[in-house]
Amino acid sequence: MARPLSEDKRNAILNAATEAVAALGIGASTAGIAKRAGVAEGSLFTYFSNKDDLLNQLYLHLKAEFKAMLITGYPADASVKDRCRHLWDRSVDWGAISPAKRKAMRQLAVSDKITETTRKAGVEGFRDMEAMLDEGFATGVLRHQPIAFVGGIIESLAEMVLEFIARDPAKTDTYKSAGFDAFWGAISAR
């Protein structure tokens, strides 16, 4: 009878893949990932059928972790601005405490190795945030623009803020606030 798969080993492989993709891009070798995880390369293929499967599962794993960070303490009944501020702060916080994960997710997001099915599954967990933006468009609080464009704005500004935080961590709150002001100015109608 086959031994049950170990969740700890699977997580070790995903963590090693995160570090490898952040450092080397999607060209990181499975041998290098397995070595970082402390498992034999053959063991990696016990958990993931091939490298593309590993990359797709890593993408979903990182998306799920990012979403969990965003929704923790989410003020569902607050104003659109306050909900946007919460999402902004949590996004920057995640990037600041998990720079390798953020970098790996950015690498995976532009990779042709990530299937359309995986991309759709990754977006699925963010429907509540889309609904909040739709509410903002419908009520006139937000300028009507494509949701993907709003996502691009937050991503670009967050990346810039994270660069400033990395250079001067003592000013984290200042940079985070200034970044939100720029974000809000770019999307609000008022």
Side-chain angles (χ1 to χ4, degrees):
M1 183 188 296
R3 278 192 302 193
L5 298 178
S6 163
E7 194 65 25
D8 289 341
K9 275 189 185 178
R10 183 179 190 280
N11 287 333
I13 294 167
L14 288 171
N15 291 335
T18 299
E19 295 293 327
V21 169
L24 305 169
I26 63 161
S29 71
T30 54
I33 292 169
K35 184 175 180 179
R36 283 178 192 246
V39 301
E41 188 173 6
S43 292
L44 184 145
F45 295 113
T46 300
Y47 291 87
F48 304 96
S49 57
N50 55 45
K51 184 177 175 185
D52 287 356
D53 180 38
L54 170 60
L55 294 174
N56 279 268
Q57 292 303 311
L58 177 60
Y59 178 82
L60 292 174
H61 174 77
L62 293 172
K63 281 284 199 180
E65 184 178 309
F66 181 56
K67 181 191 177 215
M69 178 76 164
L70 292 179
I71 64 170
T72 299
Y74 182 72
D77 296 327
S79 69
V80 169
K81 184 176 184 178
D82 287 345
R83 286 181 278 167
C84 282
R85 179 63 192 247
H86 173 86
L87 296 174
W88 169 264
D89 285 347
R90 300 300 284 183
S91 180
V92 172
D93 290 345
W94 187 74
I97 63 174
S98 307
K101 290 176 182 178
R102 182 168 176 82
K103 188 171 182 183
M105 191 161 68
R106 288 183 60 129
Q107 295 268 348
L108 293 166
V110 298
S111 170
D112 62 353
K113 299 293 184 184
I114 305 305
T115 67
E116 193 58 36
T117 301
T118 298
R119 288 182 196 285
K120 286 180 183 175
V123 169
E124 197 58 42
F126 294 85
R127 296 286 178 225
D128 291 345
M129 287 150 236
E130 274 189 37
M132 182 265 303
L133 292 173
D134 286 336
E135 177 189 332
F137 299 146
T139 59
V141 172
L142 301 178
R143 273 187 244 150
H144 195 70
Q145 49 198 325
I147 289 176
F149 188 75
V150 174
I153 293 170
I154 195 170
E155 227 176 87
S156 298
L157 287 172
E159 194 62 36
M160 179 190 67
V161 167
L162 288 165
E163 287 177 24
F164 277 88
I165 289 171
R167 285 187 227 142
D168 191 358
K171 293 185 179 175
T172 294
D173 290 339
T174 300
Y175 295 136
K176 204 159 52 167
S177 288
F180 178 75
D181 291 344
F183 172 61
W184 187 250
I187 67 167
S188 70
R190 298 178 185 155

